[in-house]
Amino acid sequence: MSDPEDLGTGIYRQEAAELVQSIEAGLLALENTPGDGDRIDAVFRDLHTVKGSGAMFGFKELAEFVHEFETAFDSVRRREVPVTSALIEISLRACDHILRLLDDPVSAKAVSATILGKLAACLEADGSDALPAPRQDMSIGTDNRGIPPANGYRVKFRLAADALMHGHDPEVLLNDLRDLGPTRVRALVEDVPPLDQLDPTECLMGWEVEITGEIDPTDIEAVFLFTRDTMSLEVSPLDADEALEANAGPTDEPDASFSLVSGASNSTKATGNTMRVATERLDEMMDRVGELVIAEARLQALAQTSGDATLMAVAEDIQRLAAGLRDSTMSIRMVPISSILGRFQRLIRDLSGSLGKQMNFVTCGEDTELDKTVIELLADPLVHILRNCADHGLESAERRLAAGKPATGTIELGAEYAGAEVVITIRDDGRGLDAARIRSRAVERGLIDEDVDLPEAELYRMIFEPGFSTSSAVTELSGRGVGMDVVKRTIASLRGQIDLESEPGHGTTVRLRLPLTLAIIDGLLVEVGGELYTIPLAAVEECVELPALHKSERTTSSFLNIRGGLVPFLRLRSLFDVAVPPSDYQKVVVIASTGARVGLVVDNIIGNNQTVIKQLSPLHAGLKSFSGATILGDGSVALILDVAQLVASGRAIEESTRRENAA
């Protein structure tokens, strides 16, 4: 059994990493909108959360560092210093250091003083150019906002019902308020139920605190930074008589009407709560659901064989429940692509500085969701593509101006749904790919013969070959020909495809087409030579009868005329070297990928089925026509056809025919 303390520490590490990513995103946004008070407050709240939780879980060095970082950033929040690029730069370095303190606090601690010193020096340098006083648009104020009265404030607050379970201590908040000045505290107990209905884990009391003196309202706001989003809070100024009465009375006044009486339920109870679950448990759950789908298919087969009406009714109920459980489990695994966009904003900013190029980074479709496994494996390929856009794609400001372009280059990253796929598009407005240079390097490396005339689309795909690079020198960013090879291999492992378009002088577009999930898909079951195969249903466009003139395997034509359009086709019998005689009524399954279509000639179409994808063993990983396997209801195994590879084969047939006709 896991140690609860270790489990809590692991959860904090994950939460802290997410908060640091949020802080980075806020800092990067502030660089473009330095006067955005909401952004500044959000960064300050995240810092406060990292510090408070870090101290709770024993990360002393981290808590001390973030405390100093928070204190320094507080001067920004108070508009004592402006937000500048230099301040953002050192703040981002401080964020990096927080992550190092999470991983190795002892070694990283030695650098803390250096970073904090640079931060302090940056604030001192900027202090003479302070921003205007902040807008007093405080959510906790009511009257006379922006004019802190000399008499004091009345603060009424109620924490969320689950605040105690989340580690929030009301006494800490009360002590922070007491530190602001003379106080009088009264407990609000009207919502406390009778003893036999009391839940000791819920926070049912509220508090009213009167603080006298010249109090800055932002100090009151800071007390509740850690809990503000899930609580009710009212703050109103005291008049002179109330302040006098508060000063005359006892510091902490118990409620004179205290009694255990029935009251209304707490209206501040949090809604839409979430819970963290280890990814290993989600993976295990998905595996179990996959096995359930296989068992359900076997039950369906047995029910149909037996003809028992009762058994068939039970099988249908199991099928309905298994489908619902499958959909719910898969939805749990779906993660928005925005979860990895933050690191790319930071990447582009850093590349802009190191390359000396002005860049804009534009994103869209951040809410598009992918399976968590796909998201995890997608980050590195996107980093390589974005680095190539920045290094090879975008020109310097001088060259852009000479070409009639804006001095600042633009890199766009967008995501959208396309059927059962997600299409991720990365586009830059740079110089585009140099087909002549790519061809020269390909000939030099022996990838193509000098007399071979390849179309530009094929030449562009050469950049995905291992070790291929057009750079004349090796730099920190490029020149070794490794990055795009990694992209190709990773996308292939995800059963995805890559499209590449480029227009010289106007930029390059890379499109990644990825399946929504790697676990369970709908498949079309077909038969070829007595063996069963599965085609991903999302790739199937239509099914037609094989025309009589194409039934002979000795025919020279490799194209079908489907409603006036020519579609290349592949005979799977020939591809798989099947010796069994063909069916008298062969069918053609037309599949599509990356805008191209190809027909697959099969003996019979069996029907749709739920396909639980099982990875092939390393021994069979080289079989390019298959992307995996699945277990059928009768216990037999059906190989899953790799649509991308088959469409590529169809393209090769089409290209070969075009060359023959041209000759």
Side-chain angles (χ1 to χ4, degrees):
M1 183 177 292
S2 302
D3 186 338
E5 184 174 347
D6 292 340
L7 179 61
T9 300
I11 292 174
Y12 170 70
R13 288 179 184 274
Q14 185 176 355
E15 288 183 343
E18 292 174 359
L19 285 167
V20 169
Q21 186 174 344
S22 175
I23 293 169
E24 283 191 353
L27 291 171
L28 293 170
L30 281 174
E31 193 165 26
N32 296 323
T33 56
D36 189 338
D38 291 336
R39 289 279 187 185
I40 294 173
D41 292 341
V43 170
F44 191 79
R45 280 197 299 271
D46 287 342
L47 286 171
H48 194 78
T49 304
V50 172
K51 180 189 74 172
S53 299
M56 184 186 306
F57 286 101
F59 288 87
K60 181 182 177 182
E61 292 82 2
L62 182 146
E64 291 175 351
F65 176 80
V66 178
H67 174 72
E68 296 300 328
F69 186 6
E70 177 191 32
T71 301
F73 204 80
D74 187 43
S75 60
V76 177
R77 188 172 67 101
R78 295 174 179 273
R79 299 300 197 277
E80 295 172 359
V81 296
V83 175
T84 63
S85 293
L87 177 61
I88 296 296
E89 179 68 29
I90 189 60
S91 296
L92 289 172
R93 298 290 171 255
C95 288
D96 295 338
H97 189 62
I98 292 174
L99 297 178
R100 288 193 292 268
L101 285 167
L102 272 175
D103 296 332
D104 189 1
V106 177
S107 300
K109 183 180 179 181
V111 189
S112 297
T114 302
I115 294 177
L116 291 174
K118 291 180 178 179
L119 183 60
C122 182
L123 292 173
E124 290 175 3
D126 294 334
S128 59
D129 187 21
L131 291 176
R135 53 176 177 79
Q136 293 295 335
D137 185 20
M138 292 170 43
S139 58
I140 64 169
T142 53
D143 300 323
N144 301 323
R145 293 178 181 177
I147 307 175
N151 301 310
Y153 281 97
R154 175 182 290 106
V155 182
K156 286 182 67 174
F157 69 93
R158 287 183 181 275
L159 299 178
D162 58 358
L164 301 179
M165 297 177 62
H166 289 167
H168 300 308
D169 187 351
E171 185 64 21
V172 173
L173 300 176
L174 293 172
N175 287 336
D176 287 345
L177 291 174
R178 291 186 182 104
D179 290 340
L180 300 179
T183 59
R184 184 168 65 176
V185 180
R186 186 170 68 91
L188 307 176
V189 297
E190 58 270 18
D191 287 343
V192 177
L195 190 59
D196 59 347
Q197 301 176 21
L198 188 66
D199 184 347
T201 66
E202 292 190 348
C203 181
L204 301 175
M205 295 175 59
W207 289 268
E208 182 180 272
V209 183
E210 294 177 349
I211 314 172
T212 57
E214 296 186 4
I215 311 299
D216 188 336
T218 59
D219 291 335
I220 300 176
E221 185 182 23
V223 170
F224 298 99
L225 280 175
F226 205 43
T227 56
R228 184 66 187 92
D229 294 336
T230 58
M231 65 179 293
S232 68
L233 178 64
E234 298 177 12
V235 178
S236 57
L238 295 174
D239 59 32
D241 293 339
E242 289 174 322
L244 186 62
E245 181 182 349
N247 278 325
T251 303
D252 286 352
E253 176 187 314
D255 185 7
S257 60
F258 179 83
S259 61
L260 291 175
V261 296
S262 177
S265 61
N266 191 346
S267 61
T268 63
K269 184 172 291 190
T271 59
N273 291 335
T274 59
M275 180 176 67
R276 288 186 178 273
V277 178
T279 55
E280 294 81 4
R281 293 188 179 182
L282 286 179
D283 292 337
E284 182 181 358
M285 185 177 179
M286 194 71 247
D287 290 341
R288 298 290 176 87
V289 170
E291 298 301 324
L292 176 62
V293 170
I294 294 172
E296 176 265 324
R298 295 183 60 189
L299 178 60
Q300 285 284 343
L302 289 173
Q304 292 175 1
T305 302
S306 70
D308 187 320
T310 303
L311 181 58
M312 292 181 68
V314 173
E316 289 176 358
D317 287 340
I318 296 297
Q319 182 183 36
R320 174 176 53 81
L321 294 171
L325 182 60
R326 178 206 65 188
D327 293 342
S328 297
T329 304
M330 290 177 64
S331 68
I332 293 173
R333 291 169 57 95
M334 302 304 281
V335 179
I337 197 172
S338 59
S339 62
I340 58 174
L341 286 183
R343 72 185 72 177
F344 301 142
Q345 293 171 341
R346 173 74 183 277
L347 171 70
I348 296 300
R349 182 188 186 278
D350 291 346
L351 288 174
S352 177
S354 60
L355 295 172
K357 298 178 181 179
Q358 302 174 30
M359 306 178 195
N360 281 333
F361 184 51
V362 181
T363 61
C364 61
E366 294 92 341
D367 295 335
T368 306
E369 293 184 331
L370 275 167
D371 186 285
K372 75 172 189 66
T373 305
V374 179
I375 286 285
E376 290 168 357
L377 296 176
L378 187 60
D380 283 346
L382 288 178
V383 167
H384 286 299
I385 295 173
L386 290 171
R387 285 163 67 105
N388 263 24
C389 289
D391 191 17
H392 297 296
L394 297 184
E395 313 95 326
S396 64
E398 294 78 10
R399 291 187 176 182
R400 290 182 63 85
L401 290 172
K405 297 181 180 180
T408 301
T410 299
I411 299 176
E412 301 177 16
L413 190 155
E416 60 181 349
Y417 294 109
E421 294 180 323
V422 167
V423 179
I424 298 175
T425 304
I426 306 97
R427 180 184 296 109
D428 68 68
D429 64 347
R431 60 173 64 90
L433 296 176
D434 187 339
R437 185 168 180 79
I438 293 174
R439 175 182 173 79
S440 174
R441 293 289 288 180
V443 171
E444 181 183 323
R445 296 192 61 233
L447 296 175
I448 59 173
D449 294 330
E450 192 169 359
D451 57 345
V452 172
D453 184 20
L454 287 181
E456 283 191 346
E458 294 297 321
L459 275 176
Y460 291 157
R461 299 190 73 82
M462 289 288 175
I463 68 174
F464 295 107
E465 292 297 318
F468 190 92
S469 176
T470 58
S471 293
S472 57
V474 175
T475 68
E476 182 182 352
L477 293 177
S478 61
R480 301 188 184 276
V482 177
M484 299 308 283
D485 174 36
V486 171
V487 172
K488 179 182 177 181
R489 285 189 284 108
T490 304
I491 299 303
S493 71
L494 293 173
R495 303 199 321 274
Q497 298 99 45
I498 305 176
D499 292 337
L500 191 61
E501 300 174 4
S502 186
E503 184 178 356
H506 295 279
T508 302
T509 299
V510 181
R511 288 188 180 88
L512 309 179
R513 296 179 178 270
L514 299 161
L516 283 173
T517 179
L518 300 178
I520 301 176
I521 62 172
D522 289 319
L524 180 67
L525 200 62
V526 299
E527 179 188 355
V528 179
E531 298 291 337
L532 297 180
Y533 300 90
T534 295
I535 304 173
L537 193 59
V540 176
E541 284 201 345
E542 59 183 315
C543 300
V544 298
E545 192 86 19
L546 181 67
L549 65 92
H550 292 298
K551 286 188 176 180
S552 173
E553 297 187 9
R554 291 187 295 272
T555 181
T556 57
S557 174
S558 299
F559 288 85
L560 294 175
N561 187 334
I562 300 181
R563 291 182 295 280
L566 292 180
V567 178
F569 68 89
L570 302 172
R571 299 179 188 271
L572 294 186
R573 296 176 51 81
S574 300
L575 190 64
F576 301 153
D577 197 19
V578 175
V580 179
S583 166
D584 293 334
Y585 303 99
Q586 297 181 76
K587 309 294 188 297
V588 181
V589 180
V590 180
I591 60 176
S593 175
T594 65
R597 299 198 300 168
V598 66
L600 304 178
V601 180
V602 303
D603 289 341
N604 293 297
I605 296 174
I606 309 301
N608 298 354
N609 73 322
Q610 290 291 315
T611 301
V612 180
I613 299 173
K614 302 290 185 181
Q615 297 300 318
L616 297 175
S617 69
L619 183 64
H620 301 91
L623 299 176
K624 295 186 178 300
S625 297
F626 308 107
S627 60
T630 187
I631 301 174
L632 302 177
D634 61 359
S636 61
V637 174
L639 293 172
I640 302 170
L641 299 182
D642 190 326
V643 171
Q645 290 291 339
L646 294 173
V647 170
S649 300
R651 278 178 169 172
I653 292 174
E654 192 173 5
E655 185 60 32
S656 175
T657 303
R658 185 183 296 112
R659 291 177 189 169
E660 291 175 2
N661 293 337

